[in-house]
């Protein structure tokens, strides 16, 4: 909402997007390679994180990084400025990461079964729920970090892609539908199950420590 | 009006957090949370999960990856 307000002019006309990259972008579009390198420098870290979270492999993430910026460079002339450069290149990277993830899915992938809560006959929760005490704290326990990394790596590709794009990267359901080709209800259902499974992994971590 | 079980409640959590439930369903769900501390705790942990995951999965890009990327792009852009 805040974003809408900021991008909307007083007459409710089309959004005025102020892109912090606009100057570098204009120069890059005019063929200035140094300006393009400036854009790369601003966005490479975020793209690397997206690819690494999606693919769980540093080598694959480095390749997605290269592929994404080459695609962006080749498509610069077609970039119309109706989105921010950052979100545009982010979308390109999401597509590259997804293609790679899906290709790999065919090759081989060790998936853990999804961890779901257990209920009794009357539909009541039987698991104890741990208190995620320091969930909002600054520093993260190294073992908790590892537990989350493992749980995320064990998610099936269909689940991991929606979880990464929504909960880690902050895309909307509609954007994810466009990128993945899945329906919004299917995306929500996968996201919910991915969250349950990750929640369970964190819960186990706290339960073991208690 | 029928009561929600824990199972119903948990299956509605995503839409609850997204603010997409009808007022009626939301009221019933909140009534359940009020009566059921395991579900209330579950909701808290469900909500905290994305934040924790974001923190756990944030990585610093190694300097050599950045260098490799720069070298790669310089080579490729020269060709273009
Ligand atoms: Zn309950």
């Amino acid at each position: 909402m805040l974003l809408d307000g900021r991008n909307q002019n007083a007459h409710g006309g089309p959004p005025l997007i102020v892109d912090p990259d606009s100057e570098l972008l204009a120069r890059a579009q005019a063929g200035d390679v140094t300006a393009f390198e400036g854009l790369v420098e601003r966005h490479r870290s975020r793209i690397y994180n997206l690819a690494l979270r999606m693919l769980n492999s540093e080598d694959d993430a480095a390749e997605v990084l290269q592929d994404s910026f080459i695609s962006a460079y080749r498509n610069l002339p077609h970039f119309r400025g109706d989105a921010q450069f950052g979100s545009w290149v982010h979308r390109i990277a999401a597509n590259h990461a997804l293609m790679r993830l899906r290709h790999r899915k065919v090759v081989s992938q060790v998936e853990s079964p999804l961890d779901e809560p257990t209920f009794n006959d009357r539909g009541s929760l039987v698991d104890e729920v741990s208190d995620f005490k320091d969930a909002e704290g600054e520093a993260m326990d190294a073992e908790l970090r590892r537990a989350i990394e493992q749980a995320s790596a064990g998610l099936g590709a269909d689940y991991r892609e929606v979880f990464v794009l929504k909960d880690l990267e902050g895309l909307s359901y509609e954007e994810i539908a466009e990128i993945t080709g899945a329906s919004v209800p299917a995306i929500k259902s996968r996201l919910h199950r991915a969250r349950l499974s990750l929640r369970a992994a964190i819960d186990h971590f706290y339960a073991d420590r208690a | 009006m029928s009561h929600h079980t824990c199972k119903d409640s948990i299956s509605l959590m995503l839409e609850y957090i997204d603010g997409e439930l009808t007022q009626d369903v939301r009221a019933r769900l909140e009534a359940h949370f009020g009566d059921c501390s395991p579900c209330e705790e579950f909701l808290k942990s469900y909500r905290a999960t994305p934040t924790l995951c974001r923190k756990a999965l944030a990585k610093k890009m190694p300097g050599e990856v950045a260098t490799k990327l720069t070298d790669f792009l310089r080579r490729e852009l020269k060709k273009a």
Side-chain angles (χ1 to χ4, degrees):
Chain A
M1 292 304 112
L2 188 80
L3 255 179
D4 289 348
R6 199 166 46 194
N7 289 335
Q8 204 91 36
N9 68 28
H11 309 289
L16 302 166
I17 295 169
V18 184
D19 189 341
D21 292 326
S22 54
E23 200 197 314
L24 282 176
L25 181 64
R27 281 167 46 202
Q29 283 185 310
D32 180 345
V33 174
T34 317
F36 183 71
E37 286 183 358
L39 290 171
V40 171
E41 204 171 306
R42 280 193 189 176
H43 296 283
R44 63 191 178 191
S45 178
R46 186 169 173 227
I47 301 298
Y48 179 76
N49 259 280
L50 160 71
L52 187 61
R53 288 155 154 180
M54 197 93 115
L55 294 160
N56 247 308
S57 144
E58 292 183 4
D59 291 342
D60 283 353
E63 284 186 29
V64 166
L65 197 58
Q66 298 184 346
D67 294 347
S68 303
F69 282 114
I70 276 295
S71 291
Y73 185 78
R74 297 200 174 121
N75 286 294
L76 268 185
H78 311 297
F79 180 70
R80 312 280 295 178
D82 47 359
Q84 300 217 340
F85 175 79
S87 39
W88 180 66
V89 76
H90 191 251
R91 283 281 292 270
I92 292 176
N95 275 312
H96 278 286
L98 196 71
M99 277 192 306
R100 202 168 274 258
L101 181 65
R102 291 190 170 173
H103 171 74
R104 202 167 63 182
K105 190 161 67 172
V106 183
V107 182
S108 84
Q109 175 83 6
V110 188
E111 286 173 23
S112 318
L114 287 168
D115 205 335
E116 309 226 345
T118 23
F119 304 99
N120 66 17
D121 300 345
R122 294 190 309 279
S124 297
L125 202 55
V126 294
D127 302 316
E128 278 246 13
V129 180
S130 304
D131 185 3
F132 287 19
K133 286 185 233 36
D134 35 4
E136 306 300 323
E138 339 62 57
M140 170 164 281
D141 187 290
E143 277 178 54
L144 176 56
R145 183 186 293 273
R146 271 192 36 151
I148 293 174
E149 279 171 1
Q150 274 178 6
S152 163
L155 288 176
D158 287 348
Y159 297 95
R160 188 157 74 234
E161 65 194 33
V162 297
F163 162 71
V164 169
L165 294 176
K166 183 73 174 70
D167 280 349
L168 305 184
E169 303 294 333
L171 268 61
S172 71
Y173 292 123
E174 290 70 24
E175 288 172 318
I176 298 169
E178 211 179 294
I179 293 175
T180 61
S183 69
V184 171
I187 290 166
K188 287 185 180 178
S189 145
R190 287 177 204 165
L191 177 64
H192 179 61
R193 297 186 65 194
R195 281 179 181 171
L196 288 180
S197 201
L198 291 159
R199 194 213 66 86
I202 301 168
D203 189 87
H204 294 154
F205 166 82
Y206 282 112
D208 289 350
R209 216 178 48 168
Chain B
M1 82 190 183
S2 69
H3 284 284
H4 274 141
T5 62
C6 297
K7 198 175 179 176
D8 300 329
S9 304
I10 289 171
S11 73
L12 291 170
M13 273 180 192
L14 180 136
E15 283 161 304
Y16 176 65
I17 290 175
D18 285 347
E20 284 178 356
L21 295 176
T22 62
Q23 218 169 13
D24 175 51
V25 176
R26 197 181 63 215
R28 258 188 289 167
L29 190 59
E30 284 173 349
H32 182 90
F33 292 147
D35 289 340
C36 178
S37 63
C39 274
E40 206 189 3
E41 283 300 311
F42 197 102
L43 174 66
K44 261 194 231 163
S45 62
Y46 183 91
R47 263 191 214 276
T49 295
T51 314
L52 279 170
C53 291
R54 244 186 332 267
K55 252 188 236 175
L57 300 172
K59 287 277 160 55
K60 244 200 157 154
M61 183 174 65
E64 62 184 72
V65 175
T67 313
K68 258 195 193 164
L69 174 66
T70 308
D71 293 347
F72 170 81
L73 290 175
R74 286 199 177 145
R75 271 198 318 274
E76 289 297 310
L77 302 194
K78 218 175 274 168
K79 281 190 231 157

